[in-house]
Amino acid sequence: MKKNWKRIITVMCSGALVVVLAACAPKQAATQTPAAPAMEQVSFIPFTLPELGYSYNALEPAIDAKTMEIHHTKHHAAYVNGLNTALNGNPYKDKASTLEEILAMVEPEDAAVRNNAGGHWNHSMFWKWISPGGSKSPSDRMKQVITESFGSMEEFEKQFSDAAKSRFGSGWAWLAVDSNKKLFITSTPNQDNPLMKKIVAKTGTPILGLDVWEHAYYLNYQNRRPDYIMAFFGIINWDVVEAEYLKAIK
């Protein structure tokens, strides 16, 4: 049989010494204030930072380990946290069940949701598009699709590179599929992407994207964005690109 031990506690109350008789509660019933959850202001299931799925140095020398670590754990994480905060009490979370649905309905003036939802989706896909393994060149089927759209693989790379180089400031270059199941190349500022139907000039489903924000390449390439773009073509996981293409044309 467990004993119900008691103890005497002395406290100061308004300058007077007060004696309080308190029962010692079992450990599991201790009245310690629990640590606040990381996102306690969020009333819905929050988005989380996805695992990279490979080591930070896996893409060297094209992208160095320190850049990958900072990009993933700092920049991408900030978009995830920002999105969760922006959606707290926001009607988007009641109208949409997926990140893609949020992007499709976001309004131009809703900057917090627009920037953070875009940043989360863009980076989540970017890690897959450059993931090690898989084919480093497109399959015959994918080459044919690209050639039919742009004339040749070389012309595709030129047009995609031009879109990435000419993006003033920060943004992305995209290869996407339009509503007619045709490929097109475009570029967007900041964290916008072709899924944002109320924001971009031409909408579609991205099947390949390149981050040309300086934080994506500056430690290694400084102001040499064209060198970074050239290196990018050597680390594309074309198996992922083709899988996204096949989903987009269904």
Side-chain angles (χ1 to χ4, degrees):
M1 179 181 296
K2 293 184 179 180
K3 294 182 179 180
N4 184 22
W5 295 97
K6 296 185 177 180
R7 57 180 174 161
I8 301 297
I9 300 175
T10 58
V11 298
M12 292 297 297
C13 182
S14 301
L17 188 63
V18 180
V19 179
V20 181
L21 186 63
C24 261
K27 283 185 179 180
Q28 64 269 27
T31 56
Q32 242 180 343
T33 303
M39 298 301 298
E40 65 174 330
Q41 79 274 27
V42 178
S43 57
F44 64 101
I45 298 174
F47 289 100
T48 57
L49 180 68
E51 294 290 335
L52 194 62
Y54 47 91
S55 62
Y56 291 124
N57 66 357
L59 300 172
E60 290 184 337
I63 305 179
D64 62 283
K66 180 55 68 175
T67 292
M68 287 295 295
E69 181 181 3
I70 294 171
H71 202 169
H72 179 244
T73 64
K74 303 298 183 183
H75 292 282
H76 190 177
Y79 289 120
V80 174
N81 292 334
L83 176 59
N84 288 331
T85 299
L87 288 177
N88 184 38
N90 190 299
Y92 287 108
K93 70 180 180 63
D94 299 320
K95 298 176 182 178
S97 59
T98 67
L99 186 54
E100 288 79 7
E101 289 175 351
I102 291 174
L103 294 173
M105 68 174 63
V106 69
E107 299 284 350
E109 63 272 16
D110 293 331
V113 175
R114 172 182 178 178
N115 293 334
N116 289 295
H120 182 26
W121 191 92
N122 295 348
H123 285 88
S124 296
M125 290 304 305
F126 185 56
W127 309 136
K128 297 178 182 179
W129 286 320
I130 60 174
S131 59
S135 177
K136 295 307 169 190
S137 61
S139 67
D140 290 343
R141 173 179 181 168
M142 202 68 213
K143 282 180 182 176
Q144 182 179 351
V145 172
I146 290 173
T147 299
E148 288 173 353
S149 300
F150 304 106
S152 67
M153 281 297 299
E154 292 74 21
E155 183 61 23
F156 155 68
E157 290 188 9
K158 179 184 181 303
Q159 290 186 31
F160 190 93
S161 296
D162 288 346
K165 292 175 189 175
S166 62
R167 169 48 55 192
F168 183 77
S170 302
W172 292 73
W174 303 102
L175 174 65
V177 179
D178 66 18
S179 58
N180 295 317
K181 302 182 180 181
K182 301 296 183 182
L183 294 180
F184 68 97
I185 291 171
T186 189
S187 174
T188 56
N190 303 315
Q191 295 297 345
D192 290 352
N193 67 46
L195 293 171
M196 297 177 173
K197 296 180 179 180
K198 298 183 179 181
I199 293 172
V200 296
K202 184 169 184 178
T203 60
T205 303
I207 64 169
L208 178 65
L210 173 59
D211 187 347
V212 293
W213 283 63
E214 285 189 341
H215 65 241
Y217 62 87
Y218 203 82
L219 289 181
N220 197 19
Y221 297 93
Q222 290 81 51
N223 64 332
R224 304 189 310 275
R225 185 188 286 184
D227 291 349
Y228 162 68
I229 295 168
M230 185 179 298
F232 167 74
F233 284 107
I235 58 173
I236 296 171
N237 187 325
W238 281 98
D239 290 348
V240 175
V241 176
E242 184 163 358
E244 293 302 312
Y245 170 73
L246 293 175
K247 285 195 295 184
I249 64 172
K250 279 185 178 179

